[in-house]
Amino acid sequence: MGNSKTVYDAVVVGSGACGGWACKQLTEAGLRVLVLEAGRGLRADKALWIMHRLRQTLLRYHTESDTRRKERQQIQSTTFAWPFHPHAFVDDVDNPYTTPEGQPFTWIRARQVGGRTSVRAHGRQFYRLSDFDFKAGSRDGQGPDWPLTLADLAPHYETVERWMGIRGNTDGLPNLPDSIFAEPIPLTPAELRLKERVERRWPDRRVVARRTASAPVTMPAALKTGRLTLRTHAVVNQILHDAKTGRVTGVSYLDAESGKSYEAHGRIVVLAAGTIESARLLLHSRSSAFPDGLANSSGLVGRNLMDHTYLLGIEAKMNLPPEQQRKEHSWAYIPQFRNVTTREQGFVRGYGVQVFTFDDNCHFVPFGEMVPRAENRVTLSPTVKDRWGIPAAHIECKHSANEVKMVEDSVAACQEMMKEAGFTVERVNDTMSTPGMAIHEVGTARMGTDPKTSVLNAHNQSWDVPNLFVTDGSCFPSQGSQNPTLTMMAITVRACAYMVRELKAGRL
Ligand SMILES: Cc1cc2nc3c(=O)[nH]c(=O)nc-3n(C[C@H](O)[C@H](O)[C@H](O)COP(=O)(O)OP(=O)(O)OC[C@H]3O[C@@H](n4cnc5c(N)ncnc54)[C@H](O)[C@@H]3O)c2cc1C
C-alpha cells in the first residue's frame, strides 16, 4: 500500500467483470493503470478453494451445516451458489446494508478479483441485448430508451465474445442477436423435443441452446502488459473531486486489514464496483460542489435500481425413454416472446426462461424484466456503517403490479409449454423472490442523452465531471430480460475505447 505521488493514467475501482475488462483494454492500449480491489487476489482465492475442497472430501465438511459461517453470511447464504464457494461471498457482518421495514432486498456480493464472475457456481450465460431492449422505452412509454443501438455496441460485444470464446448456435432471432460463436452447442434429445413441440404450437416462441463460456478472467492479460498495478484489500471509500478544476483527481481508500487510509491519483477514474456499490460511492463522495453526491446534478444517482424477477420455478418429469435421458446437466433458453411481436394486455416487457434438464428432470426458471422506477433506489444509511466506517447502502426496491402480473403469466406459460412437450408438471414454485435474488442489478447511474435526465452520456462519462466514468451495470437505462453481464462488459470495452481516444486527443 502507501500513498504515492504517482499519477496513473487511470484509477479503476473494482476488478469484477467490468473493472477487469477496463484494466485489460486500457493497459493493452498503452495506459498505466492502478486497480483497487476491496477483496483478495486470485492466488488467495485458489488457496482457500483448495482448503475448502479438502475439508469437504477429507472431513465431510458441509457448508450448509456450518452455523458460524452462516451467522456471518446470513444474506449471502440464501443464494444457491453460496455452498459451492462460500468464501467468495462477503461477510455480511462486516458489510451491512439496510432496507425499509417489510421491504427486503437480497444483495449478493463477492469481494475478490473477478468479483461475482469469480464465483465457481456462476451461471455463465451470456446473451446480447437487442434493439427491442434498447428501444423498449419508446415502444411502451415506461422509461427512457438507451442512447445507443445494437450497431453501436456490436463491435464491442464481438471483442468480448471472441476473447471469451462463447459457445452457442446462430439462431437468427431479432430479439436475441447472435454472438460470434467459437463453437456450436448441440441440443439434447429432451431439448429437441421441447423445441419441436413448443415452436410448432407457438411460432413466436423459440427454444435455443444456451450461450456460454468460462468465466471472463481478464486480470492476468492486463497484468501481462506490465502496465497494471493491482492493489487488493483496498477498500475505496471516496472519489476525490477538485472543485477548482471540476475534475476528479483520484480516490481515497483503506487497507482492508489495518484500516489505514491512503490516496491514489489518476488522470481519469473508472468506477466499476458493481451497480449498488458504485452508487454508494458516488453518494458518499459529497463535496461543496456536489452536496448530494458526486456527479449527481440530475438527482438520479442511486435511482432506478432494477433486478430481474426471479422465482424457483417449475419442475417436471420429462417422461423420456431411458435411452434419451442424459446424466449430464444441460440447459437451454426460451428468449422473451411477450411484447415482442404482440402487445400484452396485463403488462409491459417480458421474460426469458432458462430450461435446465438432467436425467428425466426438467426445471424452468423465468427471469423477467423490471421496469425502471425512480422510487427504487439506493441512498446512504444515516446510522449504519460498514467495518471501515463507510455509510452502508440503504436499498429501497420493490416489485410493481407489472412485475407481479408478468410473473403470473410466466408461471402459466411455463406449465403450458411443459405440457405441450409431454412433460408432467411436478412442482410449481411460484413465489416471487425478493428483489436482488436474480443477482442482475442494474440502473443506478443511467446513461442518456440529456444531463437533466441521466447521470452518464452514451460513453459512460459523467455529464458533470468529464474525467469520471462509471462502466458497470449502473449505466443501464432499462434491463431487457437477458442476463446482463455480456452487455456490461461490452459497454466497458466501448467506454474504454472512448477514454483512450479522448486522452490521446488531449480532451480528458
Ligand atoms: C452465482 C452467480 C451467478 C451469476 N450468473 C450470471 C449469468 O449466468 N449471467 C450473467 O449475465 N450474470 C450472472 N451473474 C451476475 C454477474 O456476475 C454480475 O452481473 C457481474 O459480476 C457484475 O459485474 P461488475 O463488475 O459490475 O460487479 P462485480 O462482478 O460484483 O465486481 C465488483 C468488484 O468491485 C469490488 N468492489 C466493490 N466495492 C469496492 C470498493 N469500495 N473498493 C474497491 N473495490 C470494490 C468488488 O470486490 C468486486 O470485485 C451471476 C452472479 C452470481 C453471484
Side-chain angles (χ1 to χ4, degrees):
M1 295 267 169
N3 282 317
S4 101
K5 292 203 168 60
T6 309
V7 178
Y8 293 88
D9 291 321
V11 173
V12 176
V13 181
S15 71
C18 302
W21 269 98
C23 293
K24 178 172 159 9
Q25 294 308 103
L26 296 176
T27 53
E28 287 178 353
L31 270 56
R32 283 171 319 118
V33 175
L34 170 71
V35 58
L36 298 167
E37 165 52 53
R40 65 179 72 84
L42 288 173
R43 248 189 245 141
D45 170 53
K46 196 163 178 192
L48 286 171
W49 172 253
I50 292 168
M51 295 245 297
H52 178 65
R53 295 293 294 148
L54 283 174
R55 284 173 84 193
Q56 279 181 324
T57 41
L58 300 179
L59 305 174
R60 299 190 181 288
Y61 171 78
H62 270 247
T63 320
E64 291 94 328
S65 318
D66 187 339
T67 43
R68 259 192 65 216
R69 199 185 260 281
K70 256 189 163 162
E71 270 168 31
R72 302 284 310 190
Q73 294 188 299
Q74 281 191 17
I75 304 288
Q76 309 307 310
S77 59
T78 59
T79 174
F80 72 96
W82 174 78
F84 300 100
H85 193 174
H87 63 264
F89 294 95
V90 297
D91 179 313
D92 290 314
V93 179
D94 287 345
N95 295 277
Y97 64 94
T98 58
T99 53
E101 188 74 32
Q103 199 179 304
F105 183 94
T106 307
W107 187 14
I108 302 297
R109 289 181 274 175
R111 277 196 166 182
Q112 53 183 25
V113 167
R116 285 173 288 183
T117 51
S118 71
V119 174
R120 283 170 201 253
H122 194 269
R124 291 172 197 166
Q125 300 210 48
F126 299 110
Y127 303 102
R128 288 187 181 194
L129 295 189
S130 73
D131 282 329
F132 281 98
D133 305 304
F134 296 133
K135 297 189 186 317
S138 57
R139 246 195 352 272
D140 57 31
Q142 305 280 317
D145 282 347
W146 289 56
L148 46 75
T149 63
L150 179 60
D152 297 320
L153 207 50
H156 311 287
Y157 271 131
E158 201 175 320
T159 300
V160 176
E161 290 160 355
R162 285 194 191 282
W163 192 82
M164 288 176 69
I166 292 193
R167 293 177 298 124
N169 301 331
T170 302
D171 297 302
L173 305 178
N175 61 320
L176 188 73
D178 291 318
S179 290
I180 304 294
F181 296 116
E183 55 181 274
I185 296 186
L187 293 172
T188 64
E191 289 162 352
L192 281 170
R193 176 159 133 192
L194 181 69
K195 179 177 178 65
E196 195 243 309
R197 301 212 183 163
V198 165
E199 293 182 5
R200 188 176 57 201
R201 167 84 191 270
W202 297 280
D204 62 339
R205 301 187 193 180
R206 300 293 297 269
V207 180
V208 302
R210 64 191 174 277
R211 297 174 181 178
T212 188
S214 320
V217 188
T218 41
M219 208 48 77
L223 285 166
K224 217 170 127 195
T225 63
R227 286 185 283 274
L228 180 72
T229 305
L230 163 63
R231 207 155 284 162
T232 53
H233 302 104
V235 182
V236 172
N237 62 346
Q238 268 176 335
I239 301 146
L240 306 171
H241 180 257
D242 180 347
K244 275 198 226 112
T245 60
R247 294 163 60 88
V248 287
T249 55
V251 302
S252 61
Y253 66 96
L254 304 149
D255 178 275
E257 294 309 320
S258 68
K260 255 184 103 175
S261 64
Y262 301 94
E263 285 188 2
H265 298 106
R267 291 165 71 197
I268 55 177
V269 172
V270 181
L271 191 51
T275 295
I276 295 174
E277 189 74 31
S278 288
R280 178 185 174 213
L281 284 174
L282 289 172
L283 292 170
H284 186 46
S285 302
R286 288 193 185 118
S287 64
S288 52
F290 290 105
D292 299 323
L294 184 61
N296 195 18
S297 66
S298 64
L300 287 169
V301 170
R303 291 194 181 270
N304 298 297
L305 173 66
M306 294 165 266
D307 182 43
H308 283 140
T309 62
Y310 173 75
L311 52 151
L312 287 179
I314 297 101
E315 294 163 51
K317 283 280 176 218
M318 296 190 285
N319 305 317
L320 293 175
E323 69 278 9
Q324 288 189 8
Q325 295 179 16
R326 293 290 159 96
K327 293 288 169 211
E328 318 84 59
H329 290 268
S330 186
W331 64 104
Y333 188 55
I334 303 175
Q336 179 180 341
F337 49 90
R338 296 295 192 212
N339 288 313
V340 177
T341 53
T342 56
R343 260 212 172 207
E344 302 302 323
Q345 288 309 308
F347 57 90
V348 298
R349 313 290 164 102
Y351 49 86
V353 183
Q354 299 187 3
V355 176
F356 300 92
T357 52
F358 169 68
D359 220 342
D360 197 34
N361 306 306
C362 177
H363 190 177
F364 278 29
V365 183
F367 284 74
E369 179 168 357
M370 188 171 188
V371 170
R373 283 188 300 280
E375 64 271 25
N376 286 337
R377 67 185 295 203
V378 176
T379 51
L380 296 180
S381 164
T383 49
V384 178
K385 293 189 165 130
D386 71 10
R387 178 177 155 190
W388 301 275
I390 308 169
H394 179 68
I395 307 173
E396 296 169 69
C397 187
K398 63 177 178 200
H399 294 121
S400 71
N402 193 70
E403 281 95 55
V404 172
K405 282 196 192 128
M406 190 196 302
V407 164
E408 282 167 9
D409 183 85
S410 70
V411 171
C414 286
Q415 290 181 77
E416 69 183 12
M417 288 190 279
M418 285 172 149
K419 285 180 190 153
E420 186 69 22
F423 302 170
T424 308
V425 174
E426 296 227 305
R427 192 172 317 163
V428 180
N429 306 296
D430 56 1
T431 309
M432 211 159 145
S433 299
T434 56
M437 277 307 267
I439 327 180
H440 288 167
E441 331 78 74
V442 294
T444 52
R446 60 162 54 149
M447 51 161 67
T449 50
D450 180 348
K452 292 202 184 67
T453 54
S454 56
V455 178
L456 308 170
N457 68 17
H459 292 284
N460 299 71
Q461 180 179 29
S462 155
W463 288 113
D464 295 337
V465 185
N467 64 337
L468 173 66
F469 293 81
V470 187
T471 74
D472 55 32
S474 316
C475 71
F476 281 37
S478 65
Q479 66 168 170
S481 53
Q482 298 89 317
N483 304 49
T485 311
L486 178 62
T487 301
M488 293 180 194
M489 295 188 283
I491 280 183
T492 301
V493 170
R494 182 170 183 268
C496 288
Y498 174 82
M499 291 171 214
V500 171
R501 269 200 317 274
E502 294 296 290
L503 275 171
K504 287 195 174 151
R507 286 191 292 266
L508 271 181

